[in-house]
Amino acid sequence: MDEADYAVPKTMSAMLLTGHGDVDKLHYRQDVPTPQPGPNQVLVRVTATAKNNTDRKAREGLYPTKGKEEVTSFAMGGSPTLTFPRIQGADVVGRVVAVGEGVDSARRGERGLLDFNIYADERRTINLTPDYYGHGADGGYAEYIAVPADQFHQVTNPALHDAELAAMGMCSYQTAYHMMTSANVSAGERVLVSGASGGVGTALIQLCRIVGAIPYAVSQPDKADALLALGAEAVIDRGDLSTFVERMLAATHGQPIDAVMDLVGGDMTDLFIDTMIVDMQCRSTYPRLSIAGASGGNISEIMWTRIYLYQVQIFGVSHGTREEAEQLIEWIRRGDLKPVLHAAFKLSELHMAERYFVNRGSNYLGKIVIVPDAQWAAHGARFALPTDQESRL
């Protein structure tokens, strides 16, 4: 980068979330004050930010923690940290253009990926709030973002475009990895992955293969070829729920699932448990269920006697650890993890991207990435939707 590339304007373009509601609560502004890096922070010129389902759920207020009818965003352990206006976007990629006090100026020019967690302090290795950039602090749906220097991890791999690197962001990959580490998934184990075509699901399939586990994907049949190519041992259609367990066991040749990575919830969770307890005498480890989503419904009816008599271990997962983030970055640097990028949209077209995400069709696999308009030619245009798909938006 030339010295002119480090010039930072006083204002920037950003998408501001102004309250809970539909996409009309997202306002594109071009006069937002550019943040300044504080002590131990870096200022990043954003080139790509992956879109996550948590953006939509936080916007719509779909994180009830007490009652079925509650409409709120999560506020664990105190006052809500999602205040308005807020810039969303957690999985940020870009270049360091300025540094705060205590940060080596040699970091200017680094390309990196953000560990999206907001940790309680610099010594804390886990995030139990659970809060993140784009929720409790401004995120990457903007031209610039100020973040902790030790959470912006350099990735120089020239084979990865910035949009592809954003598609491997921590919101999906760290969540997936923490689901596995919480359940102590190990080599040779059979792992059921629900919601396998999304960002966390595709991450889980790859991560299972890295540690030597065998992933079985639950997804639509028309996505089977892509998921098999990604590493799934077999793809099982949700289909008729009355035959789901039978079809799952047919795929495993009658062997029980060792651990379930559940991104669906609702009616499916009890069936997922069935796949683990069909023959307890042949098991050598406890049945384990990690859950990090409820796309199929926020309420599941489960008999607790089945849980404690069969000794099913359940792990709730929303965020990971600093150590897991560092391990993922190392795998990304080495090329062990592959991006699953579906498409890129301009930041000014975030409304369109949100509608596409909600109404995505059967060809959808992986992640959507949002690119600032000023960076579109360099980092977004090559990943735009084909014209025939864009015309249907």
Side-chain angles (χ1 to χ4, degrees):
M1 293 174 64
D2 297 328
E3 194 60 35
D5 294 325
Y6 297 116
V8 178
K10 292 183 178 179
T11 61
M12 66 176 182
S13 297
M15 189 67 74
L16 301 182
L17 176 64
T18 59
H20 289 306
D22 205 344
V23 293
D24 63 310
K25 295 296 185 179
L26 292 165
H27 294 272
Y28 186 63
R29 297 279 299 274
Q30 296 176 285
D31 59 352
V32 178
T34 303
Q36 299 298 312
N40 301 314
Q41 287 190 327
V42 292
L43 181 67
V44 175
R45 178 179 289 128
V46 178
T47 54
T49 300
K51 176 175 166 34
N52 293 289
N53 198 37
T54 192
D55 298 326
R56 177 188 64 85
K57 295 183 74 173
R59 168 173 54 78
E60 294 181 359
L62 298 180
Y63 281 110
T65 54
K66 294 182 180 180
K68 298 179 183 179
E69 305 304 322
E70 183 184 8
V71 177
T72 184
S73 187
F74 55 81
M76 303 292 285
S79 302
T81 59
L82 176 57
T83 57
F84 305 110
R86 172 65 74 221
I87 299 172
Q88 293 187 291
D91 291 330
V92 183
V93 170
R95 303 302 193 276
V96 176
V97 293
V99 301
E101 181 182 353
V103 182
D104 189 344
S105 62
R107 293 202 59 180
R108 293 197 312 164
E110 283 185 4
R111 180 183 78 157
L113 173 65
L114 175 67
D115 172 359
F116 76 126
N117 289 279
I118 297 178
Y119 299 101
D121 55 60
E122 66 275 6
R123 298 180 302 278
R124 197 72 58 92
T125 62
I126 61 175
N127 177 8
L128 296 176
T129 317
D131 212 351
Y132 59 94
Y133 283 88
H135 183 275
D138 284 340
Y141 290 163
E143 292 184 299
Y144 294 89
I145 181 176
V147 296
D150 63 352
Q151 288 180 232
F152 192 70
H153 297 278
Q154 185 177 23
V155 179
T156 58
N157 186 343
L160 287 174
H161 295 288
D162 287 27
E164 293 174 319
L165 180 57
M168 295 190 290
M170 294 295 146
C171 192
S172 291
Y173 277 77
Q174 192 188 41
T175 299
Y177 191 37
H178 195 56
M179 292 177 79
M180 294 169 56
T181 59
S182 296
N184 197 28
V185 170
S186 58
E189 292 195 308
R190 294 172 292 275
V191 179
L192 185 157
V193 178
S194 71
S197 65
V200 180
T202 54
L204 279 164
I205 291 171
Q206 294 189 67
L207 289 166
C208 279
R209 289 303 185 182
I210 283 180
V211 304
I214 307 167
Y216 291 84
V218 179
S219 189
Q220 299 169 355
D222 53 9
K223 299 180 182 180
D225 288 345
L227 294 173
L228 291 170
L230 197 60
E233 186 75 5
V235 179
I236 299 87
D237 183 17
R238 182 180 188 274
D240 180 1
L241 296 188
S242 67
T243 64
F244 175 79
V245 176
E246 178 183 346
R247 289 183 284 111
M248 185 77 236
L249 294 175
T252 64
H253 305 289
Q255 296 299 305
I257 291 292
D258 294 297
V260 170
M261 305 292 108
D262 187 4
L263 302 168
V264 175
D267 295 339
M268 295 298 294
T269 298
D270 205 39
L271 294 174
F272 295 155
I273 292 173
D274 282 340
T275 68
M276 295 191 289
I277 63 175
V278 289
D279 188 356
M280 295 298 289
Q281 291 185 340
C282 75
R283 295 191 64 97
S284 58
T285 59
Y286 293 110
R288 287 147 284 150
L289 183 146
S290 285
I291 185 160
S295 61
N298 204 37
I299 305 295
S300 299
E301 185 175 295
I302 300 172
M303 293 177 61
W304 284 114
T305 48
R306 280 160 47 82
I307 301 301
Y308 70 77
L309 289 176
Y310 289 106
Q311 302 187 76
V312 178
Q313 298 178 337
I314 300 178
F315 305 92
V317 173
S318 58
H319 292 254
T321 68
R322 290 183 189 268
E323 289 81 4
E324 288 164 349
E326 290 166 0
Q327 175 63 80
L328 288 164
I329 290 294
E330 181 58 31
W331 282 331
I332 291 171
R333 287 170 177 161
R334 292 197 326 225
D336 294 338
L337 290 170
K338 307 299 181 184
V340 187
L341 173 59
H342 180 72
F345 288 80
K346 291 181 181 178
L347 178 60
S348 62
E349 298 173 346
L350 185 58
H351 287 198
M352 183 188 300
E354 291 279 359
R355 287 191 293 269
Y356 182 83
F357 182 81
V358 171
N359 300 309
R360 56 193 185 272
S362 60
N363 69 326
Y364 185 92
L365 188 78
K367 302 290 290 186
I368 285 174
V369 167
I370 307 303
V371 176
D373 292 39
Q375 302 292 332
W376 181 251
H379 299 291
R382 74 186 71 194
F383 303 110
L385 281 175
T387 304
D388 63 328
Q389 291 187 44
E390 192 175 63
S391 65
R392 295 198 301 266
L393 295 177

